[in-house]
Amino acid sequence: MRIDSITLTHLRMPLASAFETSFGRITHREGILITLRSEGLIGYGECVADRDPGYSYETTGTAWHILKEFIAPRLLSADVIDAFDFQKRVSDVRGHHFAKAGVEMAIWDLLGKRSGKSLQQLLGGTRRRVEVGVSVGLQTSPERLVQQVAEYVNQGYRRVKIKIKPGRDVADTMAVRKAFPSLSLQVDANSAYTLQSSATLKPLDELDLLLIEQPLHEDDIWDHRKLQAEFKTAICLDESIVTPRHARYAIEIGACRIINIKPGRLGGLSQAVAVHDLCRSNGMPVWCGGMLETGVGRAANLALASLPGFVLPGDISASNRYYLRDITFEQFVLNPDSTIDVPAGPGLGVTVDPEALAAFTLAEMRLKRA
Ligand code: OSB
Ligand code: MG
């Protein structure tokens, strides 16, 4: 397939409500929409880098640079066959997974539109709807947190994840557990603890949590293994699993009992599927994480989460949990059984609203085939 042009659109979108994690508080989400034009078709992909290097070293700025200088030239110089061919072509670009994943997503969208198949079909997904939960940011007090959780539970979310950090952990989680004794509940520390300071988290082990996500350093596999040995509750790795190889390390040494899969962090949907397959054959449960995606990235996550190894609810909430106005015409809604329907149209199955896109655009650049 010939790629005629690549358009990078730097977006800044207001969130429906501020989102705070152990690495910071945001009121707006930045990102880069990738538009590929190919033989009369248009494919979209979302690069999930944000403004600041809090979750990852990648930012909208680094991704823009890598996309423009290194990835676009490799894609515009010769026809691309599929996602695997794309990965081979960019294998000499070290790291920068968010940048690569955004382009790979747009390639899948094109492949689907060419063949009339949905991304779900292309990836081998089976379910028509997937179980989802909601990720709740840090609040100013346990009372406010319980209030926020209650709102989401009333909206129909049956699985809730709360963000924690030192000083906002045990009391907050206990308050939610007390208010909702049978809720599926999990916590996410985004690397805010060391092996030493994580000893303070021990009371969480009595709260019947689904999992404790990424308590220790983002590049750590070894200390998580020590921590998992101390906890009954499953440790889940997010930040640390950046390639299928890291998933294998974690499985082999017992660093965790659950893995969070995000296509952006892993460098593309193809890599996400590879981690899924590896985990499935090793009996390691996985679930689909989120990066506060727009409708474009959310569509891809829903297709991915419909694969059989995704046995825990994903961080894939309804569109209105993230944005009052999204860049896709399609809005994802929560079904009464805490599921969201997987898009069935060709490719990602979503269409971009040009007016919404224009309203949120900070900068745009189109790179053409020579
Ligand atoms: O660690 O899972 C995370 C959002 C941005 C960056 C990292 C994370 C998150 C979330 C929100 O927890 C998940 C979502 O609903 O998109
Ligand atoms: Mg996480």
Side-chain angles (χ1 to χ4, degrees), residues 8-23:
L8 308 179
T9 310
H10 183 176
L11 299 173
R12 182 172 185 270
M13 298 169 63
L15 291 168
S17 57
F19 188 65
E20 184 170 341
T21 64
S22 62
F23 57 83

Side-chain angles (χ1 to χ4, degrees), residues 23 55 135 161 163 187-190 213-214 237-239 260 262 265 287 289-291 315:
F23 57 83
Y55 170 81
S135 175
K161 161 168 135 181
K163 294 289 189 179
V187 298
D188 187 359
N190 288 110
E213 186 175 344
Q214 195 73 36
L237 291 181
D238 172 357
E239 282 89 332
N260 164 326
K262 293 179 181 173
R265 195 190 70 224
W287 57 285
M291 291 294 291
D315 274 350

